[in-house]
Every structure is written in structure tokens, then in C-alpha cells.
Amino acid sequence: MRIKLLFILTLLFTCIACDKEHKAFTVKTIQLNHYKPHGLPKQLLYLKVLENDGTTVLAETDQYPSEYTLPARFIVHPQLSLPLYAQNFTIQLWGDVTGFLGECEVNMHNYKIIFPIEMEVDSEELGISLSGSWQ
């Protein structure tokens, strides 16, 4: 009886999870895991979320002093709802003194997410983790 119940629950969870392709993923926080700060002055760091065209800003984060340790979690303003698997976007790291510091592209087609809690993205310049929820 326990095995049947476990099988039914697993099947139900799988069916619900497969339905996520038509849902939106709301990005609530971005965690900065690493970046290349070689010889940069102390400054306030922040992140921008841009459409794939590289010019349209969808959201920004609060600021974090560069002299503090990483990882650092940033709150996204406004919270960003993105159709899962529908569009790619770019995340850029900025400093209030030096300006642009690096970017990485989030290719939503690279993720087959059943229960999204965190997505990690890396480039040569920086590494980030996105956290959010389904809508």
C-alpha cells in the first residue's frame, strides 16, 4: 500500500512539474558569487537585468559595498516575472565608481527546471545565482 501511495504521489508531482513550461518564473533575488575585482577601488556594486538586446533595463538591485565578502544577495526591484523557456536575458554587474564590470547571459533554454529554487550562471567575469518562485 505504501509503495502505491508513493508511486501516485511521484506521478502527481511529475505531472504538476511538467506543466511549468507555461508558467512564469519570478526573479526575487540575485546572488553575486564571484567577479574579477583586480585593482578596482572600493565602491558600491549593483546588478542590472536587461533584455537580450543589451539596452532595455528590466530591473535593478540594491547596492553592496565591494570591500565586503562574497557571496552577496541582492534584492531585485521590481520583482521580474519571465516566461520560462521563452526569452533569454542578460545580467550585468556595475560599480558606482567604475561603471560596467561584467555580464553573463541567462539562456532559459539551458534549464529544465522541475522545482526552481536557484539557477546558477557563470561567465569569465562573474558568477551569479538567481532565486525566485513560480507564478
Side-chain angles (χ1 to χ4, degrees):
M1 184 66 176
R2 277 176 121 178
I3 295 174
K4 283 185 181 181
L5 181 60
L6 183 60
F7 176 75
I8 291 171
L9 288 174
T10 304
L11 186 61
L12 180 64
F13 179 75
T14 303
C15 290
I16 291 170
C18 290
D19 190 39
K20 299 294 186 195
E21 288 190 29
H22 305 291
K23 304 286 184 177
F25 181 70
T26 300
V27 180
K28 296 180 179 179
T29 63
I30 301 173
Q31 179 174 297
L32 177 61
N33 297 325
H34 66 82
Y35 73 103
K36 293 185 177 181
H38 306 295
L40 297 176
K42 292 181 183 179
Q43 59 186 326
L44 296 174
L45 302 173
Y46 61 98
L47 296 155
K48 292 182 181 182
V49 181
L50 294 96
E51 283 189 12
N52 230 17
D53 64 10
T55 59
T56 307
V57 177
L58 301 173
E60 290 189 15
T61 65
D62 47 354
Q63 297 180 336
Y64 184 79
S66 64
E67 65 269 17
Y68 290 0
T69 60
L70 295 179
R73 190 168 298 272
F74 295 81
I75 297 172
V76 177
H77 303 287
Q79 290 183 354
L80 185 60
S81 290
L82 300 167
L84 195 59
Y85 310 121
Q87 88 184 62
N88 298 339
F89 54 96
T90 302
I91 298 182
Q92 294 181 342
L93 177 64
W94 289 76
D96 68 337
V97 175
T98 57
F100 177 78
L101 295 171
E103 70 180 5
C104 56
E105 182 181 339
V106 180
N107 185 346
M108 295 300 281
H109 296 287
N110 289 343
Y111 298 94
K112 190 66 175 174
I113 303 164
I114 295 173
F115 189 72
I117 294 177
E118 227 171 67
M119 295 185 287
E120 292 189 12
V121 183
D122 286 308
S123 73
E124 283 188 25
E125 296 113 3
L126 76 136
I128 58 163
S129 299
L130 302 167
S131 298
S133 64
W134 292 112
Q135 293 289 356

